[in-house]
PDB file of all heavy atoms in Angstrom:
ATOM      1  N   ALA A 891      18.825  17.458  -2.926  1.00  0.00           N
ATOM      2  CA  ALA A 891      20.174  17.888  -3.450  1.00  0.00           C
ATOM      3  C   ALA A 891      21.290  17.010  -2.875  1.00  0.00           C
ATOM      4  O   ALA A 891      22.249  16.626  -3.585  1.00  0.00           O
ATOM      5  CB  ALA A 891      20.374  19.305  -3.139  1.00  0.00           C
ATOM      6  N   CYS A 892      21.167  16.732  -1.581  1.00  0.00           N
ATOM      7  CA  CYS A 892      22.260  15.859  -0.881  1.00  0.00           C
ATOM      8  C   CYS A 892      22.218  14.447  -1.619  1.00  0.00           C
ATOM      9  O   CYS A 892      23.312  13.862  -1.759  1.00  0.00           O
ATOM     10  CB  CYS A 892      21.933  15.759   0.573  1.00  0.00           C
ATOM     11  SG  CYS A 892      22.445  17.265   1.511  1.00  0.00           S
ATOM     12  N   ARG A 893      21.048  13.978  -1.758  1.00  0.00           N
ATOM     13  CA  ARG A 893      20.971  12.573  -2.287  1.00  0.00           C
ATOM     14  C   ARG A 893      21.647  12.570  -3.671  1.00  0.00           C
ATOM     15  O   ARG A 893      22.454  11.563  -3.964  1.00  0.00           O
ATOM     16  CB  ARG A 893      19.498  12.148  -2.456  1.00  0.00           C
ATOM     17  CG  ARG A 893      19.303  10.731  -2.821  1.00  0.00           C
ATOM     18  CD  ARG A 893      17.824  10.293  -2.650  1.00  0.00           C
ATOM     19  NE  ARG A 893      17.035  10.976  -3.615  1.00  0.00           N
ATOM     20  CZ  ARG A 893      15.970  11.691  -3.267  1.00  0.00           C
ATOM     21  NH1 ARG A 893      15.633  11.892  -1.980  1.00  0.00           N
ATOM     22  NH2 ARG A 893      15.213  12.267  -4.186  1.00  0.00           N
ATOM     23  N   THR A 894      21.376  13.521  -4.508  1.00  0.00           N
ATOM     24  CA  THR A 894      21.937  13.545  -5.841  1.00  0.00           C
ATOM     25  C   THR A 894      23.463  13.597  -5.785  1.00  0.00           C
ATOM     26  O   THR A 894      24.083  12.973  -6.574  1.00  0.00           O
ATOM     27  CB  THR A 894      21.432  14.829  -6.585  1.00  0.00           C
ATOM     28  OG1 THR A 894      20.015  14.819  -6.465  1.00  0.00           O
ATOM     29  CG2 THR A 894      21.806  14.833  -8.048  1.00  0.00           C
ATOM     30  N   ALA A 895      23.936  14.259  -4.740  1.00  0.00           N
ATOM     31  CA  ALA A 895      25.432  14.320  -4.508  1.00  0.00           C
ATOM     32  C   ALA A 895      25.981  13.211  -3.673  1.00  0.00           C
ATOM     33  O   ALA A 895      27.153  13.242  -3.377  1.00  0.00           O
ATOM     34  CB  ALA A 895      25.700  15.732  -3.968  1.00  0.00           C
ATOM     35  N   GLY A 896      25.187  12.194  -3.294  1.00  0.00           N
ATOM     36  CA  GLY A 896      25.696  11.047  -2.559  1.00  0.00           C
ATOM     37  C   GLY A 896      25.597  11.032  -1.104  1.00  0.00           C
ATOM     38  O   GLY A 896      26.388  10.230  -0.525  1.00  0.00           O
ATOM     39  N   LEU A 897      24.712  11.757  -0.476  1.00  0.00           N
ATOM     40  CA  LEU A 897      24.556  11.721   0.898  1.00  0.00           C
ATOM     41  C   LEU A 897      23.069  11.529   1.238  1.00  0.00           C
ATOM     42  O   LEU A 897      22.199  12.364   0.794  1.00  0.00           O
ATOM     43  CB  LEU A 897      25.078  13.042   1.572  1.00  0.00           C
ATOM     44  CG  LEU A 897      24.619  13.307   3.061  1.00  0.00           C
ATOM     45  CD1 LEU A 897      25.428  12.220   3.939  1.00  0.00           C
ATOM     46  CD2 LEU A 897      24.995  14.746   3.474  1.00  0.00           C
ATOM     47  N   LEU A 898      22.734  10.585   2.109  1.00  0.00           N
ATOM     48  CA  LEU A 898      21.300  10.345   2.541  1.00  0.00           C
ATOM     49  C   LEU A 898      21.154  10.912   3.920  1.00  0.00           C
ATOM     50  O   LEU A 898      21.840  10.561   4.805  1.00  0.00           O
ATOM     51  CB  LEU A 898      21.064   8.860   2.627  1.00  0.00           C
ATOM     52  CG  LEU A 898      21.338   8.064   1.303  1.00  0.00           C
ATOM     53  CD1 LEU A 898      20.877   6.580   1.441  1.00  0.00           C
ATOM     54  CD2 LEU A 898      20.542   8.640   0.166  1.00  0.00           C
ATOM     55  N   ILE A 899      20.193  11.926   3.982  1.00  0.00           N
ATOM     56  CA  ILE A 899      19.750  12.455   5.310  1.00  0.00           C
ATOM     57  C   ILE A 899      18.260  12.519   5.284  1.00  0.00           C
ATOM     58  O   ILE A 899      17.678  12.267   4.220  1.00  0.00           O
ATOM     59  CB  ILE A 899      20.396  13.891   5.609  1.00  0.00           C
ATOM     60  CG1 ILE A 899      19.905  14.833   4.450  1.00  0.00           C
ATOM     61  CG2 ILE A 899      21.803  13.807   5.743  1.00  0.00           C
ATOM     62  CD1 ILE A 899      20.414  16.264   4.758  1.00  0.00           C
ATOM     63  N   LEU A 900      17.654  12.729   6.384  1.00  0.00           N
ATOM     64  CA  LEU A 900      16.130  12.832   6.423  1.00  0.00           C
ATOM     65  C   LEU A 900      15.643  14.033   7.129  1.00  0.00           C
ATOM     66  O   LEU A 900      16.390  14.720   7.791  1.00  0.00           O
ATOM     67  CB  LEU A 900      15.554  11.439   7.006  1.00  0.00           C
ATOM     68  CG  LEU A 900      15.603  11.072   8.468  1.00  0.00           C
ATOM     69  CD1 LEU A 900      14.737   9.967   8.726  1.00  0.00           C
ATOM     70  CD2 LEU A 900      16.996  10.831   8.908  1.00  0.00           C
ATOM     71  N   PRO A 901      14.301  14.227   6.884  1.00  0.00           N
ATOM     72  CA  PRO A 901      13.731  15.444   7.603  1.00  0.00           C
ATOM     73  C   PRO A 901      13.294  15.051   8.998  1.00  0.00           C
ATOM     74  O   PRO A 901      13.090  13.835   9.357  1.00  0.00           O
ATOM     75  CB  PRO A 901      12.593  15.782   6.726  1.00  0.00           C
ATOM     76  CG  PRO A 901      12.097  14.517   6.082  1.00  0.00           C
ATOM     77  CD  PRO A 901      13.320  13.590   6.082  1.00  0.00           C
ATOM     78  N   ALA A 902      12.920  16.069   9.830  1.00  0.00           N
ATOM     79  CA  ALA A 902      12.144  15.893  11.068  1.00  0.00           C
ATOM     80  C   ALA A 902      11.133  17.023  10.970  1.00  0.00           C
ATOM     81  O   ALA A 902      11.345  18.073  11.460  1.00  0.00           O
ATOM     82  CB  ALA A 902      13.026  15.964  12.304  1.00  0.00           C
ATOM     83  N   GLY A 903      10.067  16.779  10.263  1.00  0.00           N
ATOM     84  CA  GLY A 903       9.117  17.891   9.887  1.00  0.00           C
ATOM     85  C   GLY A 903       9.582  18.560   8.674  1.00  0.00           C
ATOM     86  O   GLY A 903      10.716  18.281   8.148  1.00  0.00           O
ATOM     87  N   PRO A 904       8.819  19.480   8.157  1.00  0.00           N
ATOM     88  CA  PRO A 904       9.058  20.097   6.858  1.00  0.00           C
ATOM     89  C   PRO A 904      10.320  21.024   6.802  1.00  0.00           C
ATOM     90  O   PRO A 904      10.826  21.308   5.758  1.00  0.00           O
ATOM     91  CB  PRO A 904       7.826  21.020   6.523  1.00  0.00           C
ATOM     92  CG  PRO A 904       7.149  21.135   7.849  1.00  0.00           C
ATOM     93  CD  PRO A 904       7.535  20.019   8.683  1.00  0.00           C
ATOM     94  N   LYS A 905      10.750  21.514   7.982  1.00  0.00           N
ATOM     95  CA  LYS A 905      11.778  22.521   8.037  1.00  0.00           C
ATOM     96  C   LYS A 905      13.053  22.097   8.918  1.00  0.00           C
ATOM     97  O   LYS A 905      13.855  23.056   9.317  1.00  0.00           O
ATOM     98  CB  LYS A 905      11.190  23.812   8.550  1.00  0.00           C
ATOM     99  CG  LYS A 905      10.278  24.539   7.630  1.00  0.00           C
ATOM    100  CD  LYS A 905      11.103  25.241   6.548  1.00  0.00           C
ATOM    101  CE  LYS A 905      10.264  26.188   5.611  1.00  0.00           C
ATOM    102  NZ  LYS A 905      10.967  26.914   4.804  1.00  0.00           N
ATOM    103  N   VAL A 906      13.221  20.931   9.072  1.00  0.00           N
ATOM    104  CA  VAL A 906      14.362  20.517   9.902  1.00  0.00           C
ATOM    105  C   VAL A 906      15.128  19.309   9.110  1.00  0.00           C
ATOM    106  O   VAL A 906      14.421  18.328   8.719  1.00  0.00           O
ATOM    107  CB  VAL A 906      13.960  19.990  11.301  1.00  0.00           C
ATOM    108  CG1 VAL A 906      15.211  19.553  12.131  1.00  0.00           C
ATOM    109  CG2 VAL A 906      13.211  21.117  12.080  1.00  0.00           C
ATOM    110  N   LEU A 907      16.371  19.422   8.947  1.00  0.00           N
ATOM    111  CA  LEU A 907      17.246  18.321   8.417  1.00  0.00           C
ATOM    112  C   LEU A 907      17.668  17.497   9.573  1.00  0.00           C
ATOM    113  O   LEU A 907      17.987  18.044  10.672  1.00  0.00           O
ATOM    114  CB  LEU A 907      18.485  18.852   7.727  1.00  0.00           C
ATOM    115  CG  LEU A 907      18.309  19.949   6.611  1.00  0.00           C
ATOM    116  CD1 LEU A 907      19.694  20.491   6.168  1.00  0.00           C
ATOM    117  CD2 LEU A 907      17.551  19.405   5.507  1.00  0.00           C
ATOM    118  N   ARG A 908      17.658  16.174   9.411  1.00  0.00           N
ATOM    119  CA  ARG A 908      17.989  15.311  10.530  1.00  0.00           C
ATOM    120  C   ARG A 908      19.138  14.312  10.051  1.00  0.00           C
ATOM    121  O   ARG A 908      19.083  13.790   9.012  1.00  0.00           O
ATOM    122  CB  ARG A 908      16.829  14.475  11.006  1.00  0.00           C
ATOM    123  CG  ARG A 908      17.031  13.596  12.225  1.00  0.00           C
ATOM    124  CD  ARG A 908      15.762  13.084  12.905  1.00  0.00           C
ATOM    125  NE  ARG A 908      14.717  12.768  11.920  1.00  0.00           N
ATOM    126  CZ  ARG A 908      13.788  11.859  12.072  1.00  0.00           C
ATOM    127  NH1 ARG A 908      13.862  11.025  13.150  1.00  0.00           N
ATOM    128  NH2 ARG A 908      12.794  11.570  11.186  1.00  0.00           N
ATOM    129  N   PHE A 909      20.237  14.290  10.973  1.00  0.00           N
ATOM    130  CA  PHE A 909      21.338  13.555  10.659  1.00  0.00           C
ATOM    131  C   PHE A 909      21.480  12.351  11.639  1.00  0.00           C
ATOM    132  O   PHE A 909      21.483  12.599  12.884  1.00  0.00           O
ATOM    133  CB  PHE A 909      22.578  14.376  10.795  1.00  0.00           C
ATOM    134  CG  PHE A 909      22.532  15.569   9.871  1.00  0.00           C
ATOM    135  CD1 PHE A 909      21.956  16.725  10.217  1.00  0.00           C
ATOM    136  CD2 PHE A 909      23.202  15.527   8.621  1.00  0.00           C
ATOM    137  CE1 PHE A 909      21.939  17.808   9.344  1.00  0.00           C
ATOM    138  CE2 PHE A 909      23.109  16.650   7.690  1.00  0.00           C
ATOM    139  CZ  PHE A 909      22.498  17.746   8.081  1.00  0.00           C
TER     140      PHE A 909
END
Side-chain angles (χ1 to χ4, degrees):
C892 283
R893 187 172 66 239
T894 308
L897 169 67
L898 304 181
I899 57 173
L900 75 168
K905 286 285 192 175
V906 180
L907 305 175
R908 184 166 35 148
F909 302 83

